[in-house]
């Protein structure tokens, strides 16, 4: 009984913490927060991938924390299936491998390659990309991992 109460209390604290972080205007999340979100993303996709992708695409909630958000691709064809950044919804259905940043860096190839690695291996990819709060390209590092046999997901943070 006590164990159930502790687990429930821990879950409530985590939920409230995410909401508090998201409400801090202008605050940039850091790499530790992005990695923690990615761990939660993996769990959500493994439990119910279709529901998870809908939640990620809706934005907000615990999968949009300041300027960090989730994105997921089909590991086979590279097409985006989820995008939490409201400024990048046009990427849904696009092949990640075609993406280049403002400097010409083919970061999409790196994200795709990271998603081909063994499940659970996390790779960092750095590039320029628009924030949810500002469409101007900014320095970003994403943590990307293969979630299961079909999908890869990432969460990045801006520097």
């Amino acid at each position: 009984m006590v164990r159930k109460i502790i687990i429930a209390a821990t879950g409530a604290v985590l939920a409230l913490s995410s909401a508090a972080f998201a409400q801090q205007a202008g605050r940039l999340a850091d790499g530790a927060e992005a990695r923690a979100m990615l761990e939660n993303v993996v769990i959500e996709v493994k439990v119910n991938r279709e529901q998870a992708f809908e939640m990620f695409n809706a934005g907000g909630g615990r999968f949009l924390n300041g300027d960090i958000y989730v994105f997921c691709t089909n590991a086979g064809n590279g097409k985006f299936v989820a995008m939490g950044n409201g400024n990048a919804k046009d990427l849904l259905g696009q092949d990640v491998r075609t993406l280049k940043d403002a400097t010409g860096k083919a970061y999409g190839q790196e994200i795709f390659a990271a998603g081909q690695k063994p499940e659970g291996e996390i790779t960092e990819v750095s590039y320029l990309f628009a924030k949810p709060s500002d469409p101007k390209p900014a320095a970003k590092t994403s943590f990307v991992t293969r979630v299961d046999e079909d999908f890869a997901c990432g969460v990045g943070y801006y520097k």
Side-chain angles (χ1 to χ4, degrees):
M1 177 68 173
V2 172
R3 185 175 178 183
K4 288 182 182 179
I5 292 171
I6 291 171
I7 291 170
T10 302
V13 168
L14 289 173
L16 291 172
S17 296
S18 293
F21 281 130
Q23 292 175 3
Q24 294 179 8
R27 180 188 172 283
L28 290 177
D30 62 22
E33 292 170 286
R35 276 184 91 99
M37 184 184 289
L38 181 59
E39 291 171 10
N40 286 323
V41 163
V42 170
I43 292 167
E44 289 292 332
V45 172
K46 286 181 179 273
V47 169
N48 184 334
R49 70 171 67 152
E50 299 308 318
Q51 183 177 351
F53 295 154
E54 286 178 25
M55 183 173 29
F56 303 158
N57 283 327
R62 63 189 179 137
F63 296 104
L64 178 61
N65 178 354
D67 277 337
I68 66 171
Y69 56 88
V70 61
F71 61 86
C72 298
T73 61
N74 180 301
N77 65 19
K79 292 186 179 182
F80 281 98
V81 295
M83 174 56 67
N85 181 342
N87 289 327
K89 293 294 184 186
D90 59 327
L91 293 177
L92 288 170
Q94 183 175 333
D95 188 336
V96 69
R97 295 172 286 190
T98 66
L99 298 180
K100 293 181 181 181
D101 72 10
T103 67
K105 179 179 180 179
Y107 72 91
Q109 290 282 353
E110 292 181 43
I111 289 174
F112 183 78
Q116 300 304 302
K117 293 181 180 180
E119 187 176 322
E121 185 176 326
I122 297 174
T123 302
E124 291 184 40
V125 179
S126 295
Y127 53 100
L128 297 176
F129 199 77
K131 297 178 185 180
S133 61
D134 184 357
K136 182 176 67 176
K140 179 177 184 177
T141 296
S142 288
F143 299 107
V144 182
T145 190
R146 180 81 172 242
V147 176
D148 58 24
E149 66 279 359
D150 298 319
F151 297 98
C153 293
V155 174
Y157 66 100
Y158 294 89
K159 298 181 176 184

